[in-house]
Amino acid sequence: ALKESEAKYRRLFESTQTPMEVISMETGLVVLGNEAMARLFGVASADDLVGIDSTQYLRPEDIDAVANRMAKTFTQEGWQEIMELQTRTHDGRWIWVSASASPTKYQGKPALVTTLLDINERKLAEEKLRRSEERFRLITENMFDAVTLVDLNGIVQYASPSHERLVGYRPEDLVGKVTLDLTHPDDVDKVKAALAGIFDKGQASIDYRFRHADGHYVWGEASVTAIRDSGGNVAGFVIAGRDITERRQM
């Protein structure tokens, strides 16, 4: 019965498209792997995984943390440990994976069954976005003009530090506010029309009055550009504005 059960387990293990391997808790070596795991690591077959030290593909700074969490997984019944980390493929590339480990027995001995999901594209996209946001903040936080990001409802998502100098608001005081609520009542329809036109044209320029933090209105010249999502749909707007009050009063 035990052999039959292990045979069924092995067939299921080998047929799944999810990268999996079994690691001996006594030696730390891989005792069983499937073809999906072989493909992930770039080795010829699952047999080439057997006997590999499970830590040799980890970054040195991650080894202790992984070992501690694997030990925790084995000592706590029913516990499943999940973590995101980088692992090195057979050809030397580093890829991000989401790794889960659960205690099991293999050939009657304590072991861990681990599953790896390839999340490299997601992590690279997150890193690209993070760098893009850092560059954006570096630019906007050193600009003379006030830069604002608003969503489709006109709610401020981000305001550059220059707002405090130009209109008296700290950036954190503007986030969450509706831009039209700070627009002069006589200019609201003009601003709405300009924003509506951006859906087709992609950008617009407009002069309008914006309420200063102390209550008076200042004239601003704004360049508004559409932000588009991956599908090409307008997801919000970038507004770059400057104070032109003196020009309007001439």
Side-chain angles (χ1 to χ4, degrees), residues 57-73:
Y57 291 122
L58 298 176
R59 289 195 176 278
E61 59 268 28
D62 291 337
I63 291 176
D64 287 344
V66 171
N68 290 336
R69 296 177 76 166
M70 287 173 66
K72 180 180 179 181
T73 300

mmCIF file with all atom_site columns, all heavy atoms in Angstrom, residues 57-73:
data_model
loop_
_atom_site.group_PDB
_atom_site.id
_atom_site.type_symbol
_atom_site.label_atom_id
_atom_site.label_alt_id
_atom_site.label_comp_id
_atom_site.label_asym_id
_atom_site.label_entity_id
_atom_site.label_seq_id
_atom_site.pdbx_PDB_ins_code
_atom_site.Cartn_x
_atom_site.Cartn_y
_atom_site.Cartn_z
_atom_site.occupancy
_atom_site.B_iso_or_equiv
_atom_site.pdbx_formal_charge
_atom_site.auth_seq_id
_atom_site.auth_comp_id
_atom_site.auth_asym_id
_atom_site.auth_atom_id
_atom_site.pdbx_PDB_model_num
ATOM 1   N N   . TYR A 1 57 ? 21.712 27.634 -5.184  1.00 0.00 ? 57 TYR A N   1
ATOM 2   C CA  . TYR A 1 57 ? 21.165 28.576 -6.148  1.00 0.00 ? 57 TYR A CA  1
ATOM 3   C C   . TYR A 1 57 ? 20.615 29.835 -5.488  1.00 0.00 ? 57 TYR A C   1
ATOM 4   O O   . TYR A 1 57 ? 20.000 30.671 -6.147  1.00 0.00 ? 57 TYR A O   1
ATOM 5   C CB  . TYR A 1 57 ? 20.059 27.906 -6.971  1.00 0.00 ? 57 TYR A CB  1
ATOM 6   C CG  . TYR A 1 57 ? 20.569 26.840 -7.910  1.00 0.00 ? 57 TYR A CG  1
ATOM 7   C CD1 . TYR A 1 57 ? 20.101 25.536 -7.835  1.00 0.00 ? 57 TYR A CD1 1
ATOM 8   C CD2 . TYR A 1 57 ? 21.530 27.141 -8.859  1.00 0.00 ? 57 TYR A CD2 1
ATOM 9   C CE1 . TYR A 1 57 ? 20.577 24.557 -8.701  1.00 0.00 ? 57 TYR A CE1 1
ATOM 10  C CE2 . TYR A 1 57 ? 22.014 26.168 -9.727  1.00 0.00 ? 57 TYR A CE2 1
ATOM 11  C CZ  . TYR A 1 57 ? 21.537 24.878 -9.640  1.00 0.00 ? 57 TYR A CZ  1
ATOM 12  O OH  . TYR A 1 57 ? 22.021 23.910 -10.491 1.00 0.00 ? 57 TYR A OH  1
ATOM 13  N N   . LEU A 1 58 ? 20.842 29.979 -4.186  1.00 0.00 ? 58 LEU A N   1
ATOM 14  C CA  . LEU A 1 58 ? 20.366 31.149 -3.464  1.00 0.00 ? 58 LEU A CA  1
ATOM 15  C C   . LEU A 1 58 ? 21.453 32.217 -3.376  1.00 0.00 ? 58 LEU A C   1
ATOM 16  O O   . LEU A 1 58 ? 22.646 31.913 -3.440  1.00 0.00 ? 58 LEU A O   1
ATOM 17  C CB  . LEU A 1 58 ? 19.930 30.768 -2.046  1.00 0.00 ? 58 LEU A CB  1
ATOM 18  C CG  . LEU A 1 58 ? 18.781 29.775 -1.910  1.00 0.00 ? 58 LEU A CG  1
ATOM 19  C CD1 . LEU A 1 58 ? 18.557 29.451 -0.436  1.00 0.00 ? 58 LEU A CD1 1
ATOM 20  C CD2 . LEU A 1 58 ? 17.503 30.306 -2.544  1.00 0.00 ? 58 LEU A CD2 1
ATOM 21  N N   . ARG A 1 59 ? 21.031 33.455 -3.172  1.00 0.00 ? 59 ARG A N   1
ATOM 22  C CA  . ARG A 1 59 ? 22.002 34.503 -2.879  1.00 0.00 ? 59 ARG A CA  1
ATOM 23  C C   . ARG A 1 59 ? 22.573 34.238 -1.483  1.00 0.00 ? 59 ARG A C   1
ATOM 24  O O   . ARG A 1 59 ? 21.837 33.875 -0.570  1.00 0.00 ? 59 ARG A O   1
ATOM 25  C CB  . ARG A 1 59 ? 21.336 35.878 -2.917  1.00 0.00 ? 59 ARG A CB  1
ATOM 26  C CG  . ARG A 1 59 ? 20.948 36.319 -4.333  1.00 0.00 ? 59 ARG A CG  1
ATOM 27  C CD  . ARG A 1 59 ? 20.626 37.794 -4.390  1.00 0.00 ? 59 ARG A CD  1
ATOM 28  N NE  . ARG A 1 59 ? 20.350 38.236 -5.741  1.00 0.00 ? 59 ARG A NE  1
ATOM 29  C CZ  . ARG A 1 59 ? 21.268 38.555 -6.644  1.00 0.00 ? 59 ARG A CZ  1
ATOM 30  N NH1 . ARG A 1 59 ? 22.547 38.473 -6.327  1.00 0.00 ? 59 ARG A NH1 1
ATOM 31  N NH2 . ARG A 1 59 ? 20.933 38.952 -7.843  1.00 0.00 ? 59 ARG A NH2 1
ATOM 32  N N   . PRO A 1 60 ? 23.881 34.425 -1.293  1.00 0.00 ? 60 PRO A N   1
ATOM 33  C CA  . PRO A 1 60 ? 24.494 34.133 0.008   1.00 0.00 ? 60 PRO A CA  1
ATOM 34  C C   . PRO A 1 60 ? 23.793 34.807 1.176   1.00 0.00 ? 60 PRO A C   1
ATOM 35  O O   . PRO A 1 60 ? 23.648 34.209 2.254   1.00 0.00 ? 60 PRO A O   1
ATOM 36  C CB  . PRO A 1 60 ? 25.927 34.664 -0.166  1.00 0.00 ? 60 PRO A CB  1
ATOM 37  C CG  . PRO A 1 60 ? 26.186 34.548 -1.639  1.00 0.00 ? 60 PRO A CG  1
ATOM 38  C CD  . PRO A 1 60 ? 24.866 34.862 -2.293  1.00 0.00 ? 60 PRO A CD  1
ATOM 39  N N   . GLU A 1 61 ? 23.323 36.035 0.953   1.00 0.00 ? 61 GLU A N   1
ATOM 40  C CA  . GLU A 1 61 ? 22.678 36.768 2.048   1.00 0.00 ? 61 GLU A CA  1
ATOM 41  C C   . GLU A 1 61 ? 21.292 36.216 2.397   1.00 0.00 ? 61 GLU A C   1
ATOM 42  O O   . GLU A 1 61 ? 20.723 36.574 3.437   1.00 0.00 ? 61 GLU A O   1
ATOM 43  C CB  . GLU A 1 61 ? 22.563 38.259 1.713   1.00 0.00 ? 61 GLU A CB  1
ATOM 44  C CG  . GLU A 1 61 ? 21.767 38.582 0.447   1.00 0.00 ? 61 GLU A CG  1
ATOM 45  C CD  . GLU A 1 61 ? 22.628 38.667 -0.796  1.00 0.00 ? 61 GLU A CD  1
ATOM 46  O OE1 . GLU A 1 61 ? 23.675 37.998 -0.849  1.00 0.00 ? 61 GLU A OE1 1
ATOM 47  O OE2 . GLU A 1 61 ? 22.243 39.416 -1.713  1.00 0.00 ? 61 GLU A OE2 1
ATOM 48  N N   . ASP A 1 62 ? 20.755 35.328 1.551   1.00 0.00 ? 62 ASP A N   1
ATOM 49  C CA  . ASP A 1 62 ? 19.424 34.762 1.812   1.00 0.00 ? 62 ASP A CA  1
ATOM 50  C C   . ASP A 1 62 ? 19.483 33.379 2.454   1.00 0.00 ? 62 ASP A C   1
ATOM 51  O O   . ASP A 1 62 ? 18.459 32.886 2.946   1.00 0.00 ? 62 ASP A O   1
ATOM 52  C CB  . ASP A 1 62 ? 18.624 34.650 0.498   1.00 0.00 ? 62 ASP A CB  1
ATOM 53  C CG  . ASP A 1 62 ? 18.244 36.007 -0.071  1.00 0.00 ? 62 ASP A CG  1
ATOM 54  O OD1 . ASP A 1 62 ? 18.195 36.975 0.707   1.00 0.00 ? 62 ASP A OD1 1
ATOM 55  O OD2 . ASP A 1 62 ? 18.000 36.089 -1.288  1.00 0.00 ? 62 ASP A OD2 1
ATOM 56  N N   . ILE A 1 63 ? 20.637 32.758 2.457   1.00 0.00 ? 63 ILE A N   1
ATOM 57  C CA  . ILE A 1 63 ? 20.723 31.351 2.865   1.00 0.00 ? 63 ILE A CA  1
ATOM 58  C C   . ILE A 1 63 ? 20.249 31.128 4.302   1.00 0.00 ? 63 ILE A C   1
ATOM 59  O O   . ILE A 1 63 ? 19.439 30.229 4.575   1.00 0.00 ? 63 ILE A O   1
ATOM 60  C CB  . ILE A 1 63 ? 22.160 30.824 2.674   1.00 0.00 ? 63 ILE A CB  1
ATOM 61  C CG1 . ILE A 1 63 ? 22.477 30.728 1.176   1.00 0.00 ? 63 ILE A CG1 1
ATOM 62  C CG2 . ILE A 1 63 ? 22.323 29.455 3.334   1.00 0.00 ? 63 ILE A CG2 1
ATOM 63  C CD1 . ILE A 1 63 ? 23.905 30.308 0.874   1.00 0.00 ? 63 ILE A CD1 1
ATOM 64  N N   . ASP A 1 64 ? 20.734 31.934 5.237   1.00 0.00 ? 64 ASP A N   1
ATOM 65  C CA  . ASP A 1 64 ? 20.352 31.739 6.639   1.00 0.00 ? 64 ASP A CA  1
ATOM 66  C C   . ASP A 1 64 ? 18.854 31.934 6.843   1.00 0.00 ? 64 ASP A C   1
ATOM 67  O O   . ASP A 1 64 ? 18.207 31.156 7.558   1.00 0.00 ? 64 ASP A O   1
ATOM 68  C CB  . ASP A 1 64 ? 21.131 32.697 7.542   1.00 0.00 ? 64 ASP A CB  1
ATOM 69  C CG  . ASP A 1 64 ? 22.598 32.302 7.689   1.00 0.00 ? 64 ASP A CG  1
ATOM 70  O OD1 . ASP A 1 64 ? 22.924 31.140 7.352   1.00 0.00 ? 64 ASP A OD1 1
ATOM 71  O OD2 . ASP A 1 64 ? 23.396 33.145 8.131   1.00 0.00 ? 64 ASP A OD2 1
ATOM 72  N N   . ALA A 1 65 ? 18.305 32.964 6.221   1.00 0.00 ? 65 ALA A N   1
ATOM 73  C CA  . ALA A 1 65 ? 16.873 33.242 6.372   1.00 0.00 ? 65 ALA A CA  1
ATOM 74  C C   . ALA A 1 65 ? 16.037 32.098 5.811   1.00 0.00 ? 65 ALA A C   1
ATOM 75  O O   . ALA A 1 65 ? 15.042 31.672 6.424   1.00 0.00 ? 65 ALA A O   1
ATOM 76  C CB  . ALA A 1 65 ? 16.505 34.553 5.689   1.00 0.00 ? 65 ALA A CB  1
ATOM 77  N N   . VAL A 1 66 ? 16.449 31.569 4.649   1.00 0.00 ? 66 VAL A N   1
ATOM 78  C CA  . VAL A 1 66 ? 15.715 30.463 4.037   1.00 0.00 ? 66 VAL A CA  1
ATOM 79  C C   . VAL A 1 66 ? 15.818 29.213 4.906   1.00 0.00 ? 66 VAL A C   1
ATOM 80  O O   . VAL A 1 66 ? 14.824 28.512 5.143   1.00 0.00 ? 66 VAL A O   1
ATOM 81  C CB  . VAL A 1 66 ? 16.242 30.177 2.613   1.00 0.00 ? 66 VAL A CB  1
ATOM 82  C CG1 . VAL A 1 66 ? 15.638 28.884 2.066   1.00 0.00 ? 66 VAL A CG1 1
ATOM 83  C CG2 . VAL A 1 66 ? 15.916 31.348 1.684   1.00 0.00 ? 66 VAL A CG2 1
ATOM 84  N N   . ALA A 1 67 ? 17.018 28.929 5.414   1.00 0.00 ? 67 ALA A N   1
ATOM 85  C CA  . ALA A 1 67 ? 17.204 27.750 6.262   1.00 0.00 ? 67 ALA A CA  1
ATOM 86  C C   . ALA A 1 67 ? 16.348 27.829 7.522   1.00 0.00 ? 67 ALA A C   1
ATOM 87  O O   . ALA A 1 67 ? 15.719 26.841 7.934   1.00 0.00 ? 67 ALA A O   1
ATOM 88  C CB  . ALA A 1 67 ? 18.680 27.609 6.630   1.00 0.00 ? 67 ALA A CB  1
ATOM 89  N N   . ASN A 1 68 ? 16.296 29.016 8.129   1.00 0.00 ? 68 ASN A N   1
ATOM 90  C CA  . ASN A 1 68 ? 15.496 29.189 9.346   1.00 0.00 ? 68 ASN A CA  1
ATOM 91  C C   . ASN A 1 68 ? 14.012 28.999 9.070   1.00 0.00 ? 68 ASN A C   1
ATOM 92  O O   . ASN A 1 68 ? 13.281 28.382 9.860   1.00 0.00 ? 68 ASN A O   1
ATOM 93  C CB  . ASN A 1 68 ? 15.744 30.575 9.946   1.00 0.00 ? 68 ASN A CB  1
ATOM 94  C CG  . ASN A 1 68 ? 17.134 30.719 10.541  1.00 0.00 ? 68 ASN A CG  1
ATOM 95  O OD1 . ASN A 1 68 ? 17.756 29.718 10.908  1.00 0.00 ? 68 ASN A OD1 1
ATOM 96  N ND2 . ASN A 1 68 ? 17.628 31.939 10.634  1.00 0.00 ? 68 ASN A ND2 1
ATOM 97  N N   . ARG A 1 69 ? 13.559 29.510 7.952   1.00 0.00 ? 69 ARG A N   1
ATOM 98  C CA  . ARG A 1 69 ? 12.141 29.393 7.631   1.00 0.00 ? 69 ARG A CA  1
ATOM 99  C C   . ARG A 1 69 ? 11.776 27.980 7.223   1.00 0.00 ? 69 ARG A C   1
ATOM 100 O O   . ARG A 1 69 ? 10.677 27.507 7.486   1.00 0.00 ? 69 ARG A O   1
ATOM 101 C CB  . ARG A 1 69 ? 11.772 30.417 6.552   1.00 0.00 ? 69 ARG A CB  1
ATOM 102 C CG  . ARG A 1 69 ? 11.943 31.848 7.052   1.00 0.00 ? 69 ARG A CG  1
ATOM 103 C CD  . ARG A 1 69 ? 11.655 32.905 6.019   1.00 0.00 ? 69 ARG A CD  1
ATOM 104 N NE  . ARG A 1 69 ? 10.229 33.063 5.796   1.00 0.00 ? 69 ARG A NE  1
ATOM 105 C CZ  . ARG A 1 69 ? 9.707  34.109 5.146   1.00 0.00 ? 69 ARG A CZ  1
ATOM 106 N NH1 . ARG A 1 69 ? 10.513 35.064 4.686   1.00 0.00 ? 69 ARG A NH1 1
ATOM 107 N NH2 . ARG A 1 69 ? 8.419  34.202 4.954   1.00 0.00 ? 69 ARG A NH2 1
ATOM 108 N N   . MET A 1 70 ? 12.701 27.279 6.574   1.00 0.00 ? 70 MET A N   1
ATOM 109 C CA  . MET A 1 70 ? 12.458 25.873 6.247   1.00 0.00 ? 70 MET A CA  1
ATOM 110 C C   . MET A 1 70 ? 12.367 25.038 7.520   1.00 0.00 ? 70 MET A C   1
ATOM 111 O O   . MET A 1 70 ? 11.518 24.148 7.641   1.00 0.00 ? 70 MET A O   1
ATOM 112 C CB  . MET A 1 70 ? 13.574 25.355 5.338   1.00 0.00 ? 70 MET A CB  1
ATOM 113 C CG  . MET A 1 70 ? 13.506 25.884 3.919   1.00 0.00 ? 70 MET A CG  1
ATOM 114 S SD  . MET A 1 70 ? 14.942 25.424 2.909   1.00 0.00 ? 70 MET A SD  1
ATOM 115 C CE  . MET A 1 70 ? 14.719 23.645 2.808   1.00 0.00 ? 70 MET A CE  1
ATOM 116 N N   . ALA A 1 71 ? 13.234 25.336 8.497   1.00 0.00 ? 71 ALA A N   1
ATOM 117 C CA  . ALA A 1 71 ? 13.191 24.614 9.766   1.00 0.00 ? 71 ALA A CA  1
ATOM 118 C C   . ALA A 1 71 ? 11.879 24.886 10.487  1.00 0.00 ? 71 ALA A C   1
ATOM 119 O O   . ALA A 1 71 ? 11.272 23.977 11.080  1.00 0.00 ? 71 ALA A O   1
ATOM 120 C CB  . ALA A 1 71 ? 14.375 25.031 10.634  1.00 0.00 ? 71 ALA A CB  1
ATOM 121 N N   . LYS A 1 72 ? 11.422 26.124 10.422  1.00 0.00 ? 72 LYS A N   1
ATOM 122 C CA  . LYS A 1 72 ? 10.151 26.489 11.052  1.00 0.00 ? 72 LYS A CA  1
ATOM 123 C C   . LYS A 1 72 ? 8.997  25.734 10.401  1.00 0.00 ? 72 LYS A C   1
ATOM 124 O O   . LYS A 1 72 ? 8.075  25.262 11.067  1.00 0.00 ? 72 LYS A O   1
ATOM 125 C CB  . LYS A 1 72 ? 9.930  28.002 10.920  1.00 0.00 ? 72 LYS A CB  1
ATOM 126 C CG  . LYS A 1 72 ? 8.633  28.501 11.537  1.00 0.00 ? 72 LYS A CG  1
ATOM 127 C CD  . LYS A 1 72 ? 8.523  30.014 11.341  1.00 0.00 ? 72 LYS A CD  1
ATOM 128 C CE  . LYS A 1 72 ? 7.221  30.548 11.923  1.00 0.00 ? 72 LYS A CE  1
ATOM 129 N NZ  . LYS A 1 72 ? 7.089  32.017 11.709  1.00 0.00 ? 72 LYS A NZ  1
ATOM 130 N N   . THR A 1 73 ? 9.058  25.618 9.089   1.00 0.00 ? 73 THR A N   1
ATOM 131 C CA  . THR A 1 73 ? 8.022  24.888 8.355   1.00 0.00 ? 73 THR A CA  1
ATOM 132 C C   . THR A 1 73 ? 7.933  23.445 8.837   1.00 0.00 ? 73 THR A C   1
ATOM 133 O O   . THR A 1 73 ? 6.834  22.899 9.025   1.00 0.00 ? 73 THR A O   1
ATOM 134 C CB  . THR A 1 73 ? 8.330  24.902 6.838   1.00 0.00 ? 73 THR A CB  1
ATOM 135 O OG1 . THR A 1 73 ? 8.373  26.251 6.391   1.00 0.00 ? 73 THR A OG1 1
ATOM 136 C CG2 . THR A 1 73 ? 7.275  24.148 6.060   1.00 0.00 ? 73 THR A CG2 1
#
